[in-house]
Amino acid sequence: MDKKDIDSTKLSAVTAQNTKNERKKRKKLRLNRKKIKYHNYTITLLDEALRCGYITEIEGSRIKAGITDALEEAVKTYTGNESTSVMKETANSLLKSVLFAIDAYLLGINDDRKAIDVIKTNKMPKLYDLGMKQLKLLCYETLSLLAKARSNRIVTPNEAYNKLIDHDITDFLKSYNIATNAHVNSIFDYKTALPVTNYRGIYCVKMIIYYLYCENSFCASFDPNELNRLYQRWCDQNNEEYGAAKVNIYALTYTNALLCDYLKKEHGTLTLTYEDCDLVCRIMDDFKISEIANILRTTSSHIVDGDAEYNSKALEKFIPRLARAIASGQLASIIPIDTGNENTNQ
């Protein structure tokens, strides 16, 4: 083999090694999705894209400048085109709203790599505008869900529940300014059994209504009079006014329905007595809390009313308190009990 062949062989080997190293480098630079946060999607996606080389430093600077341009649009909207400057606190709030709207559009793409391409090929004010349109669509979807929740509503004297379904959501939507306050949440008096966390703005409100609809769907399988008797028992036992009670009606209903099913009571009944609660505690007297929890999960598989996924998630929230009460023989202290001395007038 002459020198020329040896040099050619070395060159091929070096080229192959470089190719191999490049492949390794590309593998290391895959997007780390754990670093991409949905509650701050645009910024964390941009940071990760810069780190991995999908976006150059020059492109990154242009994109960040574009966010400032979008903020200026929000400031103009906020001031009615009368000024391009606002107080620092207001500017920070407007920036959160701008990024929230852009997040809404990019999250709708449902693909991080495609979202990066969109960021690179579009100006941020345009994405801000597209994001506001996306949020407006979510408002319409929330109204549609609200109509469904109203159609299967619980008939109850609970004022917080009625206010949420009759006024609170529509009042929020009327005052919800997509251009300048898209990220702002609203606090409602009536709480769903599952707390709505990690959501903001219209996403939060839409999820609350979806949860409420799921709860209504479950409660709709029971006689309204049975529901109201259960609610009245809880209010009486906890010295709460029927109109002002701070309790989730679905939580009461599901828990009693679960225990009634465990005791093989007549389908549709929600009535439990002290004797019933004592019987449950005696049957499970020798079980550990973890074993009681598994028994409750098995019993829940018999319940087919409402939304199965929502019921399952709610059960996991109820189980710790319920299992501890059973293990300690104190079930009757947390359950609405039929004492036989009810006031039927509400």
Side-chain angles (χ1 to χ4, degrees):
M1 182 180 293
D2 58 25
K3 186 176 183 302
K4 185 177 181 180
D5 291 335
I6 292 173
D7 290 343
S8 178
T9 302
K10 286 182 178 179
L11 180 61
S12 298
V14 170
T15 301
Q17 185 61 43
N18 288 341
T19 301
K20 186 176 181 180
N21 291 339
E22 196 62 34
R23 286 174 180 168
K24 286 183 178 179
K25 185 178 180 182
R26 282 200 298 268
K27 187 174 182 180
K28 289 180 181 177
L29 294 180
R30 287 178 181 172
L31 292 173
N32 184 349
R33 286 177 171 79
K34 290 183 179 179
K35 292 186 177 181
I36 302 171
K37 309 299 182 183
Y38 287 162
H39 65 274
N40 191 21
Y41 188 68
T42 302
I43 297 300
T44 55
L45 180 65
L46 178 58
D47 289 343
E48 188 61 9
L50 281 164
R51 185 188 71 82
C52 295
Y54 293 118
I55 289 177
T56 66
E57 292 294 334
I58 293 175
E59 288 173 325
S61 297
R62 177 185 59 78
I63 292 167
K64 290 176 181 178
I67 293 174
T68 301
D69 293 338
L71 175 59
E72 289 179 0
E73 293 298 318
V75 170
K76 289 178 182 178
T77 300
Y78 179 79
T79 62
N81 286 320
E82 293 182 1
S83 175
T84 56
S85 63
V86 290
M87 297 289 288
K88 183 177 179 181
E89 184 178 347
T90 301
N92 288 336
S93 179
L94 291 174
L95 178 59
K96 290 178 182 178
S97 183
V98 167
L99 290 172
F100 185 86
I102 296 173
D103 285 354
Y105 180 73
L106 295 178
L107 284 168
I109 296 171
N110 201 30
D111 186 307
D112 295 335
R113 289 290 301 276
K114 289 181 179 179
I116 291 171
D117 291 337
V118 168
I119 290 175
K120 291 173 64 174
T121 57
N122 290 273
K123 293 183 178 180
M124 299 309 283
K126 178 182 178 182
L127 296 184
Y128 173 45
D129 183 60
L130 291 171
M132 287 193 289
K133 291 178 180 177
Q134 179 73 15
L135 292 173
K136 189 172 184 179
L137 178 61
L138 285 168
C139 289
Y140 288 128
E141 291 175 357
T142 301
L143 277 172
S144 178
L145 262 179
L146 178 60
K148 293 175 69 175
R150 284 174 173 171
S151 70
N152 69 350
R153 68 184 299 157
I154 300 168
V155 179
T156 176
N158 188 285
E159 293 171 3
Y161 173 90
N162 291 324
K163 183 168 173 283
L164 174 64
I165 207 166
D166 288 331
H167 304 291
D168 286 348
I169 303 301
T170 49
D171 288 347
F172 171 84
L173 292 173
K174 287 176 183 177
S175 62
Y176 185 54
N177 192 321
I178 293 172
T180 59
N181 292 296
H183 63 296
V184 174
N185 282 345
S186 185
I187 298 174
F188 304 122
D189 293 332
Y190 188 82
K191 310 299 181 185
T192 51
L194 288 179
V196 177
T197 57
N198 299 323
Y199 290 92
R200 294 177 297 156
I202 190 62
Y203 288 100
C204 176
V205 175
K206 182 181 177 182
M207 190 58 67
I208 288 172
I209 289 301
Y210 172 68
Y211 282 3
L212 191 69
Y213 172 74
C214 290
E215 294 182 4
N216 289 352
S217 296
F218 180 81
C219 293
S221 59
F222 296 89
D223 184 277
N225 293 323
E226 189 78 4
L227 287 174
N228 273 327
R229 281 193 291 269
L230 179 70
Y231 175 75
Q232 178 182 333
R233 289 167 195 151
W234 188 91
C235 291
D236 290 343
Q237 289 170 211
N238 291 275
N239 296 315
E240 293 268 9
E241 295 179 10
Y242 297 148
K246 291 181 173 59
V247 64
N248 179 269
I249 300 169
Y250 163 84
L252 297 179
T253 307
Y254 186 88
T255 301
N256 272 47
L258 181 69
L259 294 170
C260 285
D261 186 272
Y262 176 74
L263 292 172
K264 306 302 179 187
K265 284 179 161 269
E266 181 183 354
H267 179 71
T269 185
L270 297 171
T271 298
L272 290 169
T273 63
Y274 284 113
E275 291 75 15
D276 290 328
C277 291
D278 183 59
L279 178 58
V280 171
C281 293
R282 284 190 287 110
I283 292 173
M284 300 195 204
D285 185 50
D286 294 328
F287 292 109
K288 299 176 182 177
I289 288 179
S290 60
E291 293 172 326
I292 294 173
N294 286 332
I295 290 171
L296 294 174
R297 291 187 183 98
T298 300
T299 303
S300 71
S301 65
H302 307 153
I303 298 177
V304 297
D305 300 309
D307 184 278
E309 183 178 0
Y310 187 85
N311 291 342
S312 178
K313 289 179 180 179
L315 176 64
E316 292 306 312
K317 183 174 182 294
F318 303 152
I319 274 181
R321 181 168 179 256
L322 197 54
R324 285 196 301 268
I326 293 172
S328 63
Q330 300 297 314
L331 180 60
S333 67
I334 67 169
I335 293 296
I337 297 297
D338 178 16
T339 62
N341 299 313
E342 294 179 0
N343 176 13
T344 57
N345 295 318
Q346 296 184 16

